[in-house]
Amino acid sequence: MGSAHLDCTYNSWTLLSCSWDADGNFTSSPCYISANVVDEKRDIKGFCFLTSSDNPRRCTINLTSDEKPVKEILTVDHKLNLSVICSNGMKRNTSITFLSDFFAFHNLLLDPPMSTDIKMINYGLWQLTWDLNHRRNIGNTECEIQYKSVNQSWQDAQNVRVKNVKLFIFHSLHPDTQYEAKVRVRHTNFPGGRWSDWGKPVQWTTPEGRLDCTHNSLDTVSCSWEVARTFSSTSCYLLAYVVNDSRYIKGICYLPGGGDRRSCVMNITVNGEHFSDAMTVAQFMNVSVICSVGKNINKMITYFSHFNPFLNLRLDPPTSLDIRMIEDGTWNLSWVNTYRNYIDNVETEVHFKPVKWSWKDAKRFTITQCDLSVLLRDLYPDSLYEAKVRINQTNFAGGRWSDWSKPVQWTTPPKDILGSTFPTPGVVAIPVILLIVVVALCSSKRVKKVMWIGVPDPAHFFHPLIDTHKGNFKKWLSTPYVFSSFFLDPSPLDISPLNINCKVEEQSLKGPSTTEAEKDKLAHSSSSYTNQEYFASVCLGYDHFPTTVVNESLHSPTDEDIPLFQAEYLCAPQSIAGFGVHNRSFERDASPQVIQNTVFAEEAIAKPQCDDESGETFTHQETENVKEDKGKEIFEDHKESSDICSTPMAYQQDGKPSMEANVAADYLSLKELYQKHCQWV
């Protein structure tokens, strides 16, 4: 026979369930199925005897490892060899069918669900639960639920499928009806998964009427019962108690009769005492309706098992509604809420309208925060309004809107009165205070100095950089500046007359000697430069510049070909206005030669050869003529009398004068140039 007639499945643990479709020759012959794992170090095997009364013939193999039971015996990669062996009646066994390389996990048939149970979690809501028996590595499962009334056949049952869960909730069931349900499962991790057998069915009966209960989060449980006709006027009451709690937590209330819907509110007590927060989130209650059906005979008509109060919250409605006008056309509506302190997510719905309107046409909006007030605007003038509020918590599932609060009414003022009210003192005071502060700041001199400070503009100093040198910063630095541009006062200098007396007696040549203090004062003075000193420094060349420099220009210390001083300047006082100064020469040289210049000036003034023998008195203009007419003679005389009037010079190693040494090593600062050539006494 072919191997296609042998079919086996694995339950994920140790059992192999096989069925064999035998032909007529072996329907009643003694046969068994043998199984063993291929290429395994352990000896995993098993066998079972096939039934003889059924066709196909069936049996279940319990696999063992080294002849010992192991709960999780096979892995995903295990392959088995299966064979059907039958007796031919001559005490010989013959292999009838052989099935090789059988992957057990590709032929999974899980055990049917077990421990099926059903409970009413809320009125009209029933929860069906079950357990599954399979290996942990089988994570994805799909379950099928069938349910029906007991009077129906399973072919007419309703089917529902869920994945990876072990519960299902029924709703909208018919009241006062008996139902039954069953479950089966299959895996979806591996290919070839099959539906298991159906689990054991479970039955339940829906209550007569409809019982609905809610909790206010504090100490009351409110219930309403849709009464069946037979119990519309019967004496009934509600009884509720907490399940599995050491304390005796219960509530009771009597249902008033006379209608199709009977309601009452239970005050929950703990051991007979009232508590504002009697129950917790984890507690459940059983609620039942008990009615009198005869003399001293009570019967439970309906019940509500495992009622979770915090999954059926309906908070108390807001109270203490108040309305006030805070400004023209704006009204503030406020209220008070009462609930447990750990409920912090509450949404509020507000309705308001003119009294003559219906609530269907009312304006409405929802507040998602835990606010206790709202502003109402754009109301009709001279109209009677009313408003109401309700709330709902969103911390727990199953929350319901509370009842509406008691409406509050108010009347808006007429249109001609709107806008005529006086502003509040705060509105008037703020602009006045701001005005006073501004006036005080503007009148303060210190504030004016800070706010209106004059910042000098150096732009006019940089015009040559752009206009003349086209932005070449290096050339601009090498450009001689006109010395007069450094004076803030453009008025001409007032130079006093210069008196020169060339006939000096012998005793005047000696003269009083200058003290060291006077020399020090003279060397450091920045403003006391006499006419005699000026004449001696300019016309006699006593300064550190050698006499040989009279007809030559003084070179710039930079590499440019622009001179530091023009040749005409060194002995021409009138050239001060056009005096050119190289930018880098403004840096003061700390060389001691600058101090020596003052000493040389004193020596030059004291010499008799420096006086004019004519004894004439010269003005400043005449001094200029002296420079032009007699300058050369004076310098020539001083060249000859080197021991008296010659200017000190630097010498080279070979004994020759060196003009370059003085030029390169000694530069006048701007301050000294100003003292020597611009301040006339």
Side-chain angles (χ1 to χ4, degrees), residues 83 190 213 506 530 673:
S83 60
F190 308 101
C213 296
E506 183 176 0
T530 63
L673 290 173

Side-chain angles (χ1 to χ4, degrees), residues 14 25 35 41 92 105 138 145 148 176 190 192 242 255 276 304 309 377 399 443 461 474 493 508 524 584 593 598 674:
T14 61
N25 296 329
K41 296 180 180 180
R92 289 185 179 181
F105 276 88
I138 300 176
I145 302 103
K148 66 179 184 64
D176 196 19
F190 308 101
V242 174
L255 293 165
S276 60
F304 194 167
R377 297 184 177 89
S443 60
F461 291 105
K474 184 175 180 181
L493 298 176
S508 65
H524 294 81
R584 295 185 183 178
Q593 294 179 6
T598 306
Y674 181 77

Side-chain angles (χ1 to χ4, degrees), residues 325-345:
M325 186 173 67
I326 58 175
E327 59 183 23
D328 289 347
T330 302
W331 296 80
N332 182 63
L333 177 64
S334 61
W335 58 89
V336 176
N337 293 334
T338 306
Y339 45 77
R340 293 283 279 274
N341 54 6
Y342 52 77
I343 296 177
D344 53 3
N345 293 326

